[in-house]
Amino acid sequence: MHTADVRPEERYRLNPAVRLVPPGSFNNPRWLAVDLVTKRHLAIGRHAAALCVVAAGPTSRAAAVDAVAAHADARKADLATAFDTLLGKDILVAAVTSDRTRWVEQLLSQWRAYGWSEAADHHLMTFDYPFYDYSVDGWTQDRAIMRAYRAEEFDGQRYKTCADGPRPAGDVHPGAAGHPGPGGGVPAPRVTDVLPTLTARFEEATGAPRRAGALDAEVLLRLMSSVFGVLESRGGGPGTAPFVRRTSPSGGARHPSEGYACVFDVPGLAEGWYHYRCGDEALHRVADLDAECARRALFGALRAPFTTRAVLVMTSVFGRNMYRYREPRTFRTLFMDVGHLLTTTEVVAQAMGVAAFGQHGIDDTRVSEVLRLAPEEEAPVLSVALGDGYVARASGAPDGTTAAQDGAAVAEDGAIAAQDGAAVAEDGAIAAQDGAAVAEDSTTAALDRAAAAEDGPSTASPPAPPPPHPASSERR
């Protein structure tokens, strides 16, 4: 809006897409007015910030100036000029809803109804973000900006190292499974040695569990190595260390995730908190176990449908990813990275015959305190309960999946399949297969319960997406 268009009695308000950031946040010395849609940051003075606060509710220019002047040592003429500047920068807008503000207000209203205010702000900030066009000259721009980053700061962080914490007590044998080696940590096998031993067929490593094994120190170490171990290092050069490759993909080979293990009851390994150190391929104990505190911190993992012997905790080291990706969308990639690792954990665990149950129920503060994490640098994101493996049956299987072994009924894809002459429930009818007798009423009821268990509890539908941003095509 041009200042010439300002009408003394017209009402104005703070742009619903603008957020005020006080001095000191992110090392900025002044107030910032951040437009989440246009991705612009405007440094403003404290009087201008006060005008924005007054305009949170629709107000006229004269009323806003009078309100601030009554509490600030500022001339009304200067405040009026500041008000006009805010209007000219679209920090303040007309109180009448426009197409642009309507889209923002609809999105905020829908997301806030689910308690997703912060997520809505992040969505606005990352929506239609102006990325490089790699089909034109994106690679040229990418290489140029990475050279500039490396000229300012060495790109060297590939994985984290932790000082050794308390050691297991008692008579230990260096290098033996579950006991500290010469470097102080419990040695883990190389990931390149573990992978060839995972010979389970794809259908055995996915879907309903079909193997039952025990979770002991050797299995846990092989699992941690498979998920967090380094396959190889390659590349590197002026200003950058070699990049690492793991069994899971990671954008830009940044690998921001770290792996920890809270050990409750794993045969061959002392209870406590451990960190998997990629540099020396070992599990290092970093804290003693307070079982009650750990259960409260990892409350979600204890919902697993099996006895939890250990819990993997995956964290994100923000700076590792943000070195390359210095835009708001970086936050999304942290969850993508952990998602890849979770799937790898589940597949490898099942191939090894142990149970895994991942979810986000973590007390971030408690976990960070135990692991001595700096919250502005690293934070817990996900946990995975681990326990002895089991063969899934009609009840007690995770994720609502049901299966039958040794002649029990199998619930699969919404139908009850016949195995070894068992009765088949198909399309609501009971059919006889290979001369098998029609299932009795009690058998039918059991199958119905198994099918119901497969369906699982219903969940609330997410909010409908708001209409497309009216100006999105203009900024692409």
Side-chain angles (χ1 to χ4, degrees):
M1 175 179 290
H2 297 288
T3 55
D5 298 329
V6 177
R7 300 175 183 176
E9 298 307 319
E10 187 169 350
R11 297 175 69 78
Y12 302 96
R13 61 172 175 161
L14 183 67
N15 186 333
V18 169
R19 302 292 179 267
L20 297 178
V21 181
S25 302
F26 310 107
N27 297 319
N28 54 295
R30 303 180 64 188
W31 281 85
L32 293 179
V34 181
D35 190 323
L36 303 179
V37 173
T38 63
K39 325 305 188 232
R40 293 184 306 172
H41 299 105
L42 179 66
I44 59 177
R46 57 190 180 89
H47 294 151
L51 290 170
C52 290
V53 172
V54 172
T59 183
S60 68
R61 178 193 189 203
V65 168
D66 289 343
V68 175
H71 299 281
D73 183 18
R75 298 188 309 158
K76 289 187 176 181
D78 294 335
L79 293 173
T81 299
F83 192 93
D84 294 346
T85 299
L86 295 171
L87 284 172
K89 299 293 185 180
D90 283 336
I91 303 302
L92 302 181
V93 295
V96 178
T97 300
S98 65
D99 289 342
R100 183 182 296 271
T101 58
R102 181 179 295 109
W103 176 77
V104 173
E105 289 171 330
Q106 283 184 319
L107 186 144
L108 293 175
S109 175
Q110 292 174 357
W111 289 49
R112 286 172 177 171
Y114 287 80
W116 298 347
S117 296
E118 293 82 2
D121 283 1
H122 184 257
H123 179 72
L124 288 174
M125 177 65 85
T126 59
F127 182 83
D128 204 16
Y129 198 85
F131 292 107
Y132 295 147
D133 187 346
Y134 286 88
S135 66
V136 183
D137 61 349
W139 285 114
T140 300
Q141 297 181 67
D142 186 296
R143 294 187 183 100
I145 197 168
M146 289 308 299
R147 282 195 296 269
Y149 291 163
R150 291 164 183 165
E152 296 176 357
E153 180 184 2
F154 183 73
D155 179 17
Q157 189 184 124
R158 298 293 178 259
Y159 41 76
K160 182 180 177 183
T161 60
C162 291
D164 291 342
R167 305 261 183 97
D171 184 18
V172 299
H173 304 280
H179 294 304
V186 181
R190 290 184 57 85
V191 59
T192 50
D193 294 331
V194 176
L195 294 182
T197 69
L198 302 178
T199 58
R201 299 191 305 272
F202 179 77
E203 58 269 22
E204 293 179 310
T206 58
R210 303 188 184 189
R211 296 185 172 193
L215 179 69
D216 57 18
E218 180 182 357
V219 172
L220 180 60
L221 289 167
R222 292 173 65 229
L223 177 62
M224 296 287 284
S225 178
S226 300
V227 177
F228 301 103
V230 175
L231 284 170
E232 66 174 355
S233 297
R234 62 181 181 180
T240 181
F243 294 94
V244 300
R245 291 182 62 235
R246 293 179 176 173
T247 54
S248 297
S250 184
R254 305 311 299 180
H255 294 288
S257 303
E258 289 286 330
Y260 298 83
C262 177
V263 174
F264 290 103
D265 181 22
V266 175
L269 190 62
E271 64 179 22
W273 290 81
Y274 293 81
H275 172 245
Y276 182 84
R277 186 185 294 180
C278 298
D280 57 7
E281 296 174 319
L283 205 58
H284 288 258
R285 192 173 179 195
V286 294
D288 290 324
L289 177 68
D290 180 333
E292 182 59 29
C293 176
R295 290 188 180 95
R296 292 182 179 180
L298 304 170
F299 60 90
L302 300 183
R303 298 169 182 162
F306 51 81
T307 300
T308 301
R309 291 189 176 276
V311 178
L312 297 189
V313 175
M314 299 181 189
T315 67
S316 286
V317 179
F318 310 129
R320 199 177 299 164
N321 223 39
M322 292 187 69
Y323 183 95
R324 175 178 175 84
Y325 303 112
R326 305 186 184 189
E327 64 270 342
R329 287 178 69 97
T330 297
F331 194 60
R332 293 185 179 186
T333 64
L334 299 176
F335 293 95
M336 295 177 189
D337 198 81
V338 167
H340 284 304
L341 294 176
L342 171 60
T343 300
T344 300
T345 301
E346 292 173 336
V347 171
V348 173
Q350 192 153 317
M352 292 179 173
V354 296
F357 177 78
Q359 52 76 62
H360 291 274
I362 301 175
D363 186 327
D364 295 11
T365 301
R366 287 178 183 267
V367 173
S368 296
E369 289 175 351
V370 171
L371 298 178
R372 299 189 291 276
L373 307 180
E376 70 280 3
E377 299 176 1
E378 181 181 5
V381 178
L382 183 112
S383 67
V384 186
L386 298 174
D388 294 340
Y390 60 90
V391 175
R393 299 187 181 278
S395 62
D399 301 328
T401 304
T402 58
Q405 301 292 329
D406 302 326
V410 177
E412 188 173 293
D413 297 332
I416 306 301
Q419 298 290 328
D420 300 326
V424 177
E426 184 174 2
D427 296 331
I430 305 300
Q433 296 288 324
D434 299 327
V438 175
E440 297 295 332
D441 291 342
S442 59
T443 303
T444 304
L447 294 175
D448 289 341
R449 287 193 298 272
E454 182 181 29
D455 291 339
S458 60
T459 56
S461 300
H469 189 286
S472 62
S473 60
E474 298 175 5
R475 297 199 309 278
R476 283 181 179 154

